[in-house]
Amino acid sequence: MSTNDIVMSIRDVSKRFGEGCEACREDTSILNGNICPDCGTVHAVRDISFDLHEGEILGIVGESGSGKSTLMKMMYFDQENTSGDYYLRSYENGAENVFDVSSQKKREIRNEQLGMVYQNPLHGLKINFSSMTNIAEKLIAGGSRNVGEMTARGDMFLEKVNIPLSRKFEAPKNFSGGMQQRVQIAKALSNYPPILLLDEVTTGLDLSVQADVLELIKEIQREMGVSMIVVSHDLAIIRMLCDRTMVLLNGEVIESGITDQILEDPQHEYTQQLVYSIL
Amino acid sequence: MLTVENFGKSFTTHHLNQTRKAVSGISFNVEKGEFLGIVGKSGSGKSTVLKSIYGTYKPNEGQILYDSERFGTVNLHEIPDHDLIRLRKTEIGYVSQFLKVMPRTTSFELVVLSLLEMGVDRVTAEVTAEETLRHFDLPEALWHNYPNTFSGGEKLRLNIACAVVKAPRLLLLDEPTASLDQASKLKVRESISKLKDSGTTLIGIFHDLEFMEGLCDKVYDMSARAVKETV
């Protein structure tokens, strides 16, 4: 019906850790959880397909080891896929499978068309360099060369995420966890990517700081129209942020739907267990 | 505008290995601009019907056809999730007795946000939000407060304000006046009446039948499984 607003398409994407044997490659029903009982290969992500629409926030939930982060890492090219296709509207208008493009092109896509915020700020920031340098690094990687423009952009985004500009030349290692996450968000957004990937970004933050980060994410989505994928194991956060939600178990999507439908009328046994566990 | 055909819903609870039928054999239709009241005792499945129209519940039987502005006639349970989300943002509203909102968002901002997601510009949204909060007698001192500090009645009025301000084509009301005092109920009634006059189609469950009197064009009785016209 409405397909022209799809910004990302993932088709039959899988990731195996290990070569796999004939048995587990042919038939994944023999797996014990996501591990092959014969050869020990871990099938971390199995045949996942979904679309992300413009301005939408898509939630991914599931227990540890369900494949949420592996999927995110593949989308950001931190990890290679074993099979499947990945299309971005911002790259050749979605006509080319970006898993198949050169490493150089992948780097360009990463720097210009995607933003990633990791659970651990150490993965997303150079923690000993200043916040401004962190943002400049992303901007330079995206092709910027004008120092004045880069500084102005850095100021703008640091202000947006409420980092006092008096501290812009301070290294994030001196910042609190919440502030580090906000610098990561500023860095991820600095090239105006159409898609932002957020991996457990509020885990480990206290409730008040968590509310700050959530507010910020919603505001960015409203004001910049960025599409987002939010990985979280916290269903309250998923309820607050996400339009649609996918539930992963052992590397597979077992259920997906509008968020309130997943939370109020869960169909799969595992989703029911998850929802009934909300405090 | 909306046709419910032989609708049924059951809930399966896996850990109890149990399937419970909530409702079945529900059929009715609502014309554009009509107000249908749903009556029935507790547990008869009134809310299940409303939540299934809104898409919060997945029905197991029958179909729910809606004449949308954007997509033409659609079966609300077969259209892609993304399209249903779009209809919720622009055409179909739902109000319950419970307010679920983003933490630390002021009541004023919540009403503004309801309008922004429809594509209204911020300046217009702020003016409309003021008018709406004033209409529902939410004291100005509360406009820039977070709703979790509000009384039950204030929360409800805010909840209704957020839905009504969008002037949806179809508004589903799930006992939104359950714990309101008489004066607040009259305010809600006035707004609903105004919406109806402007062409909004309404389906509502109200505990208090007096409230529905003179407002509903017809009533669906859950126990009789039939619609009766009212005067």
Side-chain angles (χ1 to χ4, degrees), chain A residues 59-231:
Chain A
I60 303 180
V61 294
E63 61 193 7
S64 299
S66 60
K68 314 185 290 290
S69 292
T70 305
L71 182 60
M72 286 290 252
K73 283 177 186 161
M74 285 192 282
M75 286 187 257
Y76 198 59
F77 307 115
D78 276 340
Q79 210 141 51
E80 276 196 18
N81 66 318
T82 306
S83 59
D85 298 342
Y86 177 16
Y87 303 99
L88 292 167
R89 192 178 68 180
S90 55
Y91 187 79
E92 302 292 339
N93 210 16
E96 212 173 321
N97 176 7
V98 292
F99 280 141
D100 290 344
V101 302
S102 66
S103 318
Q104 157 96 21
K105 286 273 180 224
K106 279 182 184 159
R107 264 198 305 279
E108 279 174 28
I109 293 172
R110 229 173 106 107
N111 288 322
E112 295 163 28
Q113 298 167 24
L114 299 170
M116 173 75 154
V117 183
Y118 296 90
Q119 176 178 354
N120 186 344
L122 285 175
H123 294 148
L125 295 175
K126 294 217 164 29
I127 208 81
N128 292 314
F129 291 86
S130 76
S131 308
M132 186 57 94
T133 309
N134 268 285
I135 292 176
E137 188 207 12
K138 176 93 177 169
L139 293 174
I140 292 167
S144 300
R145 291 295 179 266
N146 182 314
V147 175
E149 270 173 29
M150 284 193 278
T151 315
R153 183 90 65 91
D155 283 353
M156 190 192 91
F157 277 103
L158 287 173
E159 257 184 331
K160 188 178 248 328
V161 301
N162 298 320
I163 298 290
L165 290 185
S166 57
R167 302 187 69 181
K168 66 182 175 184
F169 294 120
E170 219 173 301
K173 70 173 177 191
N174 298 334
F175 291 175
S176 67
M179 281 174 83
Q180 289 177 349
Q181 278 319 45
R182 284 184 275 137
V183 175
Q184 255 210 106
I185 292 174
K187 179 176 181 178
L189 286 172
S190 58
N191 274 326
Y192 293 104
I195 298 166
L196 189 61
L197 308 170
L198 301 147
D199 191 2
E200 302 271 13
V201 285
T202 55
T203 306
L205 300 178
D206 72 59
L207 278 180
S208 153
V209 180
Q210 206 172 56
D212 280 342
V213 176
L214 293 181
E215 260 172 59
L216 177 65
I217 293 170
K218 266 289 194 196
E219 192 186 303
I220 289 164
Q221 186 244 359
R222 265 196 318 271
E223 289 179 5
M224 299 175 63
V226 182
S227 309
M228 302 189 191
I229 298 183
V230 174
V231 161

Side-chain angles (χ1 to χ4, degrees), chain B residues 86-98:
Chain B
R86 185 158 295 197
L87 289 181
R88 284 179 175 194
K89 283 184 179 164
T90 54
E91 297 190 27
I92 305 177
Y94 177 85
V95 185
S96 73
Q97 348 171 6
F98 309 105

Side-chain angles (χ1 to χ4, degrees), chain A residues 1-2 5 53 208 212 214-215 218 222 239-240 243-244 257-258 260-261 264-265 267 269 272, chain B residues 9 11-12 14 51 55-58 71 81-86 88 100-102 104 113:
Chain A
M1 211 173 286
S2 56
D5 68 344
H53 295 259
S208 153
D212 280 342
L214 293 181
E215 260 172 59
K218 266 289 194 196
R222 265 196 318 271
R239 185 194 284 277
M240 284 298 155
D243 301 301
R244 287 190 302 133
I258 296 177
D260 59 285
Q261 183 261 305
E264 292 197 36
D265 189 18
Q267 307 289 308
E269 185 174 3
Q272 289 189 353
Chain B
K9 169 70 187 163
F11 293 93
T12 299
H14 292 284
K51 285 189 174 184
T56 302
Y57 290 165
K58 280 188 165 182
F71 306 118
D81 293 335
H82 180 67
D83 291 335
L84 184 55
I85 290 171
R86 185 158 295 197
R88 284 179 175 194
K100 283 177 194 150
V101 292
M102 276 290 283
R104 298 207 319 218
L113 292 179

Side-chain angles (χ1 to χ4, degrees), chain A residues 39-52:
Chain A
C39 65
T41 293
V42 177
H43 294 251
V45 168
R46 292 190 268 162
D47 289 328
I48 289 185
S49 297
F50 66 87
D51 292 325
L52 178 69

